[in-house]
Amino acid sequence: MSRLVAWLEDYILPLANKLAQTHWLVALRDAFVSVMPITIAGSLAVLIKSLIEAARVNLGWETFAWLMSPLALISNVVWRGTFALFALFLSMSLGYHLAKSMEVDPIAGAIVSLSSLAMSIANLTKMRVNGRTVSVKHTFDISQFSTTGIFTAILFGSIGVSIFAFCVKARLKLNMSVTLPYAEQMALDSLIPAIIAIFCVGMINFAFQTITGTYFGNWLLNSIQTPLVKLGQGFGMVLLVTLFVQIFSFFGLNGLGVWAPILDSIWLTAQNVNVTAVRNGEPASYLWVRGSFDAFAWFGGAGGTLMLVVAILLFSKRSDYRTIAKVALAPAVFNINEPIVLGLPVVLNPVYFIPFVLAPIVNVAFSYWMTMLGLVNPVQAAVPAVVPPIIGPFLACNYDWRAIVLCIINMLIALAIWTPFVFAADKIADSNNPSPYFTRQY
């Protein structure tokens, strides 16, 4: 085990560090985090509407549904201002964070990114009139600003902001001999770089439309985004990403943060499609989404470390371990695992490497097949990460009581995996080696 950790530290850790420090990936991760209020508000609107509908259909509470009908209508309004425009908000957020990481005006970066998205999607809408399909030019279909536009927002937002930042650093700006207020000076400094960036993106889209006869956004959706999201439904792909998140986290890197661009681009897109489908009264489209990891594997944080805390409190004989576990219990209930991961520690601790990686993989595998067999609803609502286990899956699966049962079973499985290693850690700590974790000799 010590040799395995040493090998991972020598060959995997340097690559992981470089990946974690890539400014584009960091900006993309921060962009998804920044639009979290939009995601949660839109999901809450779906949950409210679903709860009212469930009370009417399943319990026969017609009067309650009638009294709550204004709330359902308000939820529809909230939906139109949040989830229905998800790609729009993501585009602005990505432009802001990417420009900030490149040390140029972040507001101008957000504007350039938004403009790049708007130029890259179809400016016509098809609608049915008297049984015929009619195309209305110079209009935007609002669905293009929802989850269908995520990859377009990421690609062209990145291109536009990168060109903008290059022009700013090349000092392509108006030189004024007078002193201007800060806001006006920033706008003038960004004027020429923004124009160049916007026209470059415009030329790319014009050339593509002329050659192919279709909009780049539509091609990207059908040729790349949709196949990638479908690829993310594969069992092997789900397990592979789970493995990478756990390995990165074991080395003290924020595995969820480092892999957020992949998790959010593929599985959050699928989750948003599910949320939209449920809101429209349709069945969920995708089996495994971003919230599935949190609901069924990462309770207490990456690694399912809530059950490590429980195992220590139940079985460990060492007072120092039990003291750390008591301190970490409350945060772990709300899916915050830094106290136990860094305090025990779990990071770079060979004793806990196997359960830290294995428990989430087993939980994900079991939950995947339970969902595949239709024994539990797929996740179809975004739930804040701090919502405790059992409650979180129940809400995420749209009030499916079977999600509670599955979560409890997964927690017991994780407890069974963690427990032998808690005993092992006790024995190692009580032996001649005073430290329960491995220390490399250089």
Side-chain angles (χ1 to χ4, degrees):
M1 184 58 66
S2 299
R3 291 179 181 178
L4 174 61
V5 172
W7 182 85
L8 290 171
E9 190 173 315
D10 287 336
Y11 296 100
I12 302 300
L13 183 58
L15 176 62
N17 272 319
K18 290 182 179 180
L19 186 61
Q21 295 170 5
T22 303
H23 71 86
W24 180 80
L25 292 177
V26 173
L28 184 56
R29 178 201 65 196
D30 292 344
F32 275 108
V33 172
S34 296
V35 298
M36 187 179 298
I38 300 299
T39 305
I40 300 301
S43 294
L44 184 59
V46 172
L47 288 174
I48 290 173
K49 186 175 180 181
S50 297
L51 179 61
I52 295 172
E53 184 65 17
R56 185 185 68 82
V57 174
N58 298 330
L59 302 177
W61 292 4
E62 297 289 346
T63 303
F64 172 80
W66 178 79
L67 291 174
M68 293 293 105
S69 58
L71 185 57
L73 296 176
I74 293 173
S75 297
N76 288 335
V77 174
V78 171
W79 168 269
R80 290 199 302 272
T82 54
F83 247 109
L85 303 175
F86 184 85
L88 198 68
F89 295 116
L90 178 64
S91 174
M92 297 178 66
S93 180
L94 175 61
Y96 180 90
H97 287 288
L98 192 56
K100 188 176 179 180
S101 70
M102 295 179 176
E103 299 181 344
V104 295
D105 184 9
I107 300 299
I111 294 172
V112 169
S113 180
L114 178 60
S115 175
S116 300
L117 169 65
M119 287 186 290
S120 307
I121 58 179
N123 65 338
L124 60 86
T125 303
K126 293 184 178 182
M127 54 188 303
R128 299 284 294 179
V129 179
N130 296 327
R132 295 186 304 168
T133 301
V134 179
S135 297
V136 182
K137 295 183 178 180
H138 309 301
T139 60
F140 287 115
D141 185 349
I142 194 173
S143 65
Q144 297 178 108
F145 291 120
S146 63
T147 55
T148 58
I150 287 180
F151 274 54
T152 307
I154 293 173
L155 176 62
F156 281 101
S158 300
I159 292 174
V161 175
S162 297
I163 296 173
F164 168 74
F166 175 81
C167 293
V168 169
K169 294 184 177 182
R171 299 186 180 280
L172 300 177
K173 63 179 181 179
L174 295 173
N175 293 315
M176 305 294 292
S177 58
V178 297
T179 302
L180 298 173
Y182 177 79
E184 294 181 15
Q185 186 64 52
M186 292 296 291
L188 286 175
D189 290 347
S190 302
L191 180 60
I192 293 179
I195 290 174
I196 294 174
I198 290 171
F199 266 86
C200 286
V201 174
M203 286 188 290
I204 293 172
N205 280 282
F206 174 76
F208 188 86
Q209 292 169 26
T210 302
I211 296 172
T212 65
T214 186
Y215 289 87
F216 200 106
N218 290 348
W219 175 84
L220 191 67
L221 171 65
N222 296 323
S223 301
I224 298 179
Q225 179 174 336
T226 300
L228 272 179
V229 173
K230 290 182 178 178
L231 179 65
Q233 299 304 297
F235 182 62
M237 185 71 168
V238 171
L239 290 189
L240 183 63
V241 170
T242 305
L243 174 65
F244 282 142
V245 168
Q246 295 307 130
I247 290 178
F248 275 48
S249 298
F250 179 76
F251 284 104
L253 301 172
N254 186 344
L256 293 178
V258 173
W259 288 95
I262 304 299
L263 287 166
D264 292 344
S265 298
I266 296 178
W267 285 282
L268 183 59
T269 300
Q271 177 172 299
N272 291 346
V273 171
N274 278 4
V275 174
T276 302
V278 172
R279 184 259 177 186
N280 295 331
E282 302 170 357
S285 304
Y286 291 104
L287 172 74
W288 195 266
V289 300
R290 175 62 185 85
S292 302
F293 294 99
D294 296 327
F296 300 125
W298 290 332
F299 27 79
T305 49
L306 173 59
M307 304 321 295
L308 169 60
V309 174
V310 173
I312 291 174
L313 293 176
L314 290 177
F315 305 112
S316 178
K317 304 300 183 182
R318 287 184 60 94
S319 60
D320 52 346
Y321 289 177
R322 295 180 61 84
T323 299
I324 294 172
K326 290 175 182 177
V327 172
L329 179 60
V333 169
F334 295 96
N335 300 319
I336 300 170
N337 68 351
E338 281 77 8
I340 191 68
V341 169
L342 301 177
L344 195 57
V346 175
V347 170
L348 286 175
N349 185 340
V351 177
Y352 291 126
F353 175 74
I354 290 178
F356 188 72
V357 173
L358 182 62
I361 288 179
V362 173
N363 287 157
V364 164
F366 181 67
S367 303
Y368 180 95
W369 289 108
M370 291 299 99
T371 309
M372 172 72 79
L373 294 173
L375 299 179
V376 65
N377 285 344
V379 169
Q380 46 201 250
V383 177
V386 295
V387 175
I390 299 177
I391 299 175
F394 177 66
L395 296 176
C397 294
N398 204 10
Y399 309 111
D400 185 358
W401 63 269
R402 297 172 299 179
I404 297 176
V405 177
L406 178 57
C407 182
I408 293 174
I409 293 174
N410 276 339
M411 293 172 75
L412 293 176
I413 291 173
L415 179 63
I417 293 173
W418 277 108
T419 297
F421 295 91
V422 169
F423 285 122
D426 276 8
K427 291 181 179 179
I428 292 174
D430 291 335
S431 66
N432 294 331
N433 182 3
S435 175
Y437 56 91
F438 170 72
T439 302
R440 292 192 62 190
Q441 300 296 326
Y442 295 93

